[in-house]
Amino acid sequence: MTTFASKAIAYYNALAAPANLPPDIGVLNPYPQPAVQAIVNEFYTNFFSDTAPRVFVLGINPGRFGAGVTGISFTTPQNLRRYCGIANDLRDTPELSSRFIYQVVEAFGGAKAFYSQFFLTSLFPLALTKNGPARNGKSGGPKNYNFYDDRVTTEALWPAITETVRTQIDFGCNRSVAVCLGRKNETYLRRLNEQQGFFDRILTLDHPRYILQYKSKDIAMYLDRYMATLHECVESA
């Protein structure tokens, strides 16, 4: 039987970085690494070995300390161990988005319950970077970059973004509703949806990084908003 897991594993393990990006934009592709391939196989086998459709929860593009390391959206090595039960030897990484997302996962009832209903993904599946400004005569190190941070990058990646969502929908998608993470990201997901008609409705939540970076005093309120939206998705499925 072809399952959500088998389709996702084949997709991620075959991902290649695009060749048409501006020269100052880097791409992190962890999927050729044997350790990441093992994680991808175990994660999807554990949580997606069926044909049940999931509600898609779509971020921007992965961070270099989350899926840029593990290959699993919004998931650091330590959160793979702690919440998903997947042992790994990858170095622990700081990732604000992952911290908040796994508060959501736990509030929903844990990884098994959450991933039985939802698929965390992004409009573009690979982490993007750009070197920071030079300081003291030295070039800045790589920083997280969003596909929409400059027009040239957005236009270069738009065909790949379209193909990413189209291909992933075939894994097994509840197309009646999708959840968008990030207010600016919503502009691009709605544009894509107008062009392609992927989803009947789009519900938008503030991005996890924004919440922890700028609204940390209000985490409980944002967690309630997430839970209300996720339960609305399940009830309307």
Side-chain angles (χ1 to χ4, degrees), residues 144-210:
N144 284 332
Y145 201 70
N146 299 318
F147 74 79
Y148 55 56
D149 283 343
D150 74 86
R151 182 179 56 81
V152 174
T153 298
T154 304
E155 292 180 356
L157 289 179
W158 199 250
I161 288 169
T162 304
E163 191 58 28
T164 293
V165 179
R166 178 182 290 115
T167 302
Q168 292 188 353
I169 281 174
D170 187 56
F171 297 171
C173 178
N174 175 357
R175 297 178 66 168
S176 65
V177 63
V179 179
C180 177
L181 301 185
R183 301 295 172 179
K184 189 169 182 179
N185 194 37
E186 179 184 16
T187 300
Y188 295 90
L189 179 54
R190 289 196 181 278
R191 179 191 302 174
L192 180 68
N193 204 50
E194 288 171 2
Q195 294 172 354
Q196 305 296 329
F198 288 142
F199 309 106
D200 295 340
R201 287 194 304 150
I202 295 171
L203 305 177
T204 301
L205 292 164
D206 289 292
H207 196 277
R209 171 169 285 278
Y210 166 81

Side-chain angles (χ1 to χ4, degrees), residues 1-6 44-54 115-116 171-172:
M1 178 177 64
T2 302
T3 63
F4 193 115
S6 62
Y44 285 100
T45 299
N46 285 356
F47 299 116
F48 293 87
S49 285
D50 54 57
T51 59
R54 266 69 170 185
Y115 289 118
S116 72
F171 297 171

